[in-house]
């Protein structure tokens, strides 16, 4: 019933490992104001989900991969919620009958997210035990990532253009895990099983048919995207660490040399796996525009319970080999216009902002670029010297540091004071809390939503 059609040759199975979530760099600075640290069981997970040295995998846990040596990973407290999972823009059209049934199901599971998630994985591993070794040894940290992504996609089944783009990115990204087309029916079967068990009041044959149609569409888009991507790019790249610059006791700039050309755009990000934590992938933004020597740099902040971030900051050394997934992300500069750029970077969120500045400089356009570099303390302005050197070299660039604990004005008010910005394109990178507050601020000062660019906040914290 869940067999997806195959309009293209199935992708060759590639060796890959599954990812979980942990915390991440930039978001560890999110909170009240914009940079006060968070507390509570989800703070560490939110921390490494920053869109800068992003260490959390946006999207689902992988559907498959090759077995890696099992390790006992530290358990993390995590309580999933599906109440605010949806981060794709809503369609302006009235919902289709299938969408109405799907959203009714979503409302029915909102209060039993833990149970739905646990039952989903229990079904998957009992009915398909061959898939269990393909997932991380500890599931606690990433429990609902796969399920959340599927539910997000299903809820937006009517929004075809946005949904297809979202699913194509997921399908391409899953190649590094070794996901194969035959894995999708098993996941669909268990998805239906979990939903039907916990929504007895609304589940019927009509609802099941709607979910089957939605999942068939979802899986086919991902399968086709993976197959097409296989024709032009590897599933992953090996990369050697060539430099490790410890800027503060918990922030490092890590520079790597990929084993083959790695095309990307300034403002994008990639997923990264270390040899110390097989099958654990984290997202990091590129900290520079593409370089002639082919080197890539990432800003990494070690956070509590951050397996990958801690290893990269405190254990990694030149000569170590890591793996990189494909580049993704749309927080890039539109070089067909001459609009000014208003860039807000919080903590390690300055990494992709720096890349955007370099990108503008390399294109030779003298368009105005204003950077606000926010941090909780002077200690957190670890890359301010680099940004000031860029300002000295480019008269069209202005850089302002806003230190939360010293500033006369908090970050949002400071941005307002230096305006007007209504003719600028805005870019935000940093803790999810900063992005949310920043978007509200920018809208309030006249920048339309379509000119505000950032990586999806809900996508960043999807893997908490």
């Amino acid at each position: 019933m869940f067999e997806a059609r195959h309009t293209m040759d199935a992708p060759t199975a590639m060796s890959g490992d599954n990812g979980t979530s942990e915390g991440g760099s930039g978001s560890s600075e999110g909170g009240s104001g914009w940079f006060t640290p968070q507390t509570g069981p989800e703070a560490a997970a939110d921390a490494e989900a920053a869109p800068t040295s992003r260490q959390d995998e946006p999207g689902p846990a992988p559907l498959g991969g090759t077995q890696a040596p099992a390790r006992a990973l530290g358990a993390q407290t995590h309580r999933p919620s599906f109440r605010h999972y949806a981060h794709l823009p809503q369609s302006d059209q009235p919902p289709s009958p299938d969408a109405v049934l799907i959203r009714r199901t979503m409302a029915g599971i909102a209060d039993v997210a833990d149970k739905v998630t646990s039952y989903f994985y229990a079904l998957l591993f009992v009915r398909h035990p061959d898939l269990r070794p393909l997932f991380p040894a500890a599931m606690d940290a990433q429990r609902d990532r796969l399920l959340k992504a599927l539910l997000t996609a299903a809820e937006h089944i009517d929004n075809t253009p946005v949904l297809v783009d979202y699913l194509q990115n997921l399908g391409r990204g899953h190649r590094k895990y070794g996901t194969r087309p035959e894995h999708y029916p098993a996941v669909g079967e268990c998805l239906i099983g979990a939903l039907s068990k916990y929504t007895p009041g609304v589940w019927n044959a009509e609802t099941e048919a709607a979910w089957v149609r939605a999942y068939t569409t979802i899986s086919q888009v991902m399968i086709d995207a993976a197959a097409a991507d296989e024709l032009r790019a590897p599933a992953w790249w090996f990369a050697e660490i060539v430099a490790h610059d410890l800027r503060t006791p918990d922030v490092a700039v890590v520079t790597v040399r990929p084993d083959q050309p790695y095309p990307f755009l300034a403002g994008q990000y990639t997923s990264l796996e270390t040899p110390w934590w097989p099958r654990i992938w984290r997202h990091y933004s590129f900290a520079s525009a593409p370089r002639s020597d082919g080197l890539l740099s990432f800003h990494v902040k070690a956070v509590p319970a951050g397996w990958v971030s801690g290893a990269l900051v405190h254990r990694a050394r030149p000569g170590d080999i890591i793996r990189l997934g494909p580049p993704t992300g749309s927080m890039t500069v539109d070089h067909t216009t001459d609009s000014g750029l208003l860039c807000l970077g919080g903590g390690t969120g300055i990494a992709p902002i720096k890349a955007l500045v370099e990108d503008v400089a390399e294109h030779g356009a003298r368009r105005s670029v204003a950077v606000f570099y926010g941090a909780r303390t002077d200690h957190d302005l670890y890359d301010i010297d680099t940004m000031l050197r860029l300002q000295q070299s480019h008269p069209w660039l202005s850089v302002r540091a806003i230190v939360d604990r010293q500033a006369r004005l908090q970050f949002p008010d400071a941005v307002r004071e230096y305006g007007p910005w209504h003719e600028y394109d805005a870019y935000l990178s940093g803790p999810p809390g900063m992005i949310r507050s920043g978007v509200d601020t920018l809208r309030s000062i006249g920048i339309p939503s379509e000119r505000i660019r950032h990586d999806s906040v809900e996508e960043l914290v999807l893997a908490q």
Side-chain angles (χ1 to χ4, degrees):
M1 177 168 59
F2 298 101
E3 290 291 337
R5 60 180 177 83
H6 302 291
T7 58
M8 306 181 70
D9 292 338
T12 303
M14 303 290 290
S15 175
D17 298 311
N18 293 336
T20 63
S21 71
E22 67 183 80
S25 44
S27 300
S28 60
E29 297 119 303
S32 102
W34 276 9
F35 302 100
T36 303
Q38 300 180 67
T39 59
E42 294 183 355
D46 203 29
E48 282 195 355
T52 64
S53 25
R54 310 168 53 142
Q55 299 173 347
D56 234 323
E57 182 86 343
L63 304 179
T66 58
Q67 184 172 0
R71 289 179 180 239
L73 306 184
Q76 294 181 354
T77 302
H78 171 65
R79 299 189 60 79
S81 171
F82 298 146
R83 292 183 182 277
H84 306 293
Y85 70 91
H87 60 271
L88 299 178
Q90 295 281 354
S91 172
D92 294 332
Q93 301 300 317
S96 66
D98 279 2
V100 171
L101 293 172
I102 286 169
R103 291 170 188 173
R104 187 179 301 163
T105 309
M106 293 301 305
I109 65 173
D111 294 325
V112 289
D114 274 319
K115 294 179 180 180
V116 174
T117 302
S118 297
Y119 191 72
F120 168 77
Y121 281 112
L123 282 181
L124 187 64
F125 298 148
V126 169
R127 294 181 180 179
H128 306 278
D130 56 310
L131 296 184
R132 181 59 184 96
L134 312 182
F135 285 77
M139 297 291 291
D140 292 352
Q142 60 80 243
R143 285 168 42 101
D144 58 342
R145 296 173 61 219
L146 169 56
L147 192 56
K148 269 192 173 181
L150 295 176
L151 296 176
T152 295
E155 202 272 348
H156 292 273
I157 198 67
D158 287 350
N159 198 354
T160 302
V162 174
L163 180 63
V164 168
D165 181 66
Y166 172 70
L167 292 173
Q168 286 177 338
N169 282 331
L170 291 183
R172 288 189 290 265
H174 275 71
R175 288 186 59 219
K176 67 179 179 290
Y177 305 120
T179 303
R180 300 188 297 273
E182 59 266 29
H183 294 146
Y184 287 85
V187 172
E189 168 196 328
C190 299
L191 170 66
I192 297 297
L195 293 174
S196 62
K197 178 176 176 62
Y198 286 97
T199 55
V202 300
W203 194 268
N204 53 34
E206 187 180 10
T207 300
E208 179 168 337
W211 277 96
V212 170
R213 286 188 289 268
Y215 183 78
T216 299
T217 298
I218 290 168
S219 60
Q220 192 58 52
V221 173
M222 294 177 68
I223 289 169
D224 289 350
D229 192 59
E230 186 185 13
L231 301 177
R232 63 180 183 85
W236 66 78
W237 288 252
F238 288 107
E240 178 186 0
I241 297 177
V242 297
H244 186 278
D245 179 11
L246 195 63
R247 296 288 182 87
T248 75
D250 59 359
V251 174
V253 175
V254 181
T255 303
V256 305
R257 178 185 292 113
D259 63 339
Q260 53 187 308
Y262 188 101
F264 72 98
L265 299 174
Q268 290 190 306
Y269 60 91
T270 187
S271 52
L272 184 158
E273 180 207 49
T274 72
W276 304 286
W277 295 105
R279 297 180 290 169
I280 309 297
W281 293 80
R282 295 292 179 264
H283 280 162
Y284 292 89
S285 292
F286 301 103
S288 67
R291 295 166 47 165
S292 59
D293 59 11
L295 298 181
L296 311 173
S297 292
F298 306 97
H299 293 187
V300 185
K301 180 180 178 66
V303 299
W307 302 329
V308 174
S309 66
L312 286 172
V313 172
H314 301 302
R315 187 169 181 177
R317 295 293 181 270
D320 290 331
I321 304 297
I322 63 174
R323 285 202 299 171
L324 304 175
T328 190
S330 58
M331 199 182 74
T332 56
V333 176
D334 180 0
H335 292 289
T336 65
T337 74
D338 57 1
S339 301
L341 272 63
L342 171 61
C343 301
L344 280 57
T348 49
I350 199 64
I353 299 301
K354 172 177 169 286
L356 294 175
V357 171
E358 293 177 352
D359 190 36
V360 172
E362 290 175 6
H363 278 76
R366 296 178 63 84
R367 55 200 296 185
S368 176
V369 179
V371 173
F372 287 82
Y373 184 178
R376 289 181 292 117
T377 67
D378 286 334
H379 174 79
D380 297 314
L381 294 173
Y382 67 91
D383 210 34
I384 188 63
D385 290 342
T386 302
M387 298 306 300
L388 292 177
R389 285 195 296 269
L390 286 171
Q391 178 180 248
Q392 292 174 352
S393 302
H394 306 296
W396 42 262
L397 172 65
S398 64
V399 177
R400 297 180 178 90
I402 308 296
V403 179
D404 213 21
R405 296 178 181 175
Q406 301 174 5
R408 176 177 59 87
L409 295 173
Q410 294 298 307
F411 208 156
D413 296 320
V415 173
R416 289 192 189 95
E417 184 173 89
Y418 285 101
W421 306 109
H422 59 275
E423 294 184 357
Y424 280 63
D425 292 332
Y427 295 79
L428 298 91
S429 181
M434 179 210 120
I435 293 178
R436 293 187 183 99
S437 299
V439 169
D440 290 342
T441 297
L442 296 175
R443 287 174 177 166
S444 72
I445 60 179
I447 301 180
S449 297
E450 62 270 17
R451 299 181 70 171
I452 301 174
R453 303 187 183 189
H454 60 86
D455 292 312
S456 171
V457 172
E458 296 305 326
E459 190 170 77
L460 296 179
V461 300
L462 191 60
Q464 285 186 25

